[in-house]
Amino acid sequence: QVQLVESGGGSVQPGKSLRLSCVTSGFTLDMWDIGWFRQAPGKERERVSCISADGTAHYPESLKDRFTISRDNVKSTLYLQMNSLKPEDPAIYYCATDINFYCRENSRPDYWGQGTQVTVSS
């Protein structure tokens, strides 16, 4: 079955960087679209990046200069490089996917990891 396991979160100072990882299993990483999402307390879950099966990366305009999504198909691992972290970035970050999930659509995938906490504090 599909499993997603995130790691790499932590507490950093504003302006610093973090790289999140999502180890995947149960499907072939480069055959499905897969995204990174985040949810802060009291806020709706939002998508912060997405990579299509063909390797095209998608970002909201507000994050495209600071976040980079990538994948290692051999390791079946998805990454999110987050630079210049800001006080508005703290949240639980999740990777998520399913066979019918597409980056070009505003849909919610069926499979989610447990999330990894990111805190930004001076």
Side-chain angles (χ1 to χ4, degrees):
Q1 70 275 23
V2 173
Q3 290 189 325
L4 307 168
V5 181
E6 302 95 336
S7 63
S11 181
V12 296
Q13 294 178 329
K16 299 297 186 181
S17 300
L18 276 177
R19 189 177 79 155
L20 307 183
S21 299
C22 172
V23 177
T24 72
S25 60
F27 67 103
T28 302
L29 182 57
D30 63 351
M31 293 188 68
W32 291 8
D33 291 17
I34 185 168
W36 283 99
F37 297 74
R38 69 184 181 187
Q39 187 165 22
K43 296 186 177 181
E44 293 188 356
R45 192 168 295 187
E46 63 172 333
R47 195 174 83 184
V48 299
S49 67
C50 195
I51 186 165
S52 301
D54 67 1
T56 303
H58 305 255
Y59 306 95
E61 193 65 25
S62 61
L63 296 176
K64 68 181 181 66
D65 293 332
R66 298 192 295 120
F67 287 15
T68 303
I69 191 171
S70 63
R71 68 189 182 201
D72 184 326
N73 298 328
V74 173
K75 295 182 179 180
S76 297
T77 302
L78 179 74
Y79 301 101
L80 181 67
Q81 177 69 40
M82 304 187 294
N83 298 327
S84 302
L85 283 163
K86 298 180 177 182
E88 58 262 36
D89 293 322
I92 300 176
Y93 284 71
Y94 303 88
C95 55
T97 188
D98 70 61
I99 194 170
N100 294 313
F101 169 70
Y102 299 102
C103 294
R104 64 180 184 269
E105 299 175 356
N106 185 25
S107 62
R108 182 183 173 97
D110 290 336
Y111 300 109
W112 294 76
Q114 83 289 348
T116 186
Q117 178 75 54
V118 172
T119 303
V120 181
S121 174
S122 56

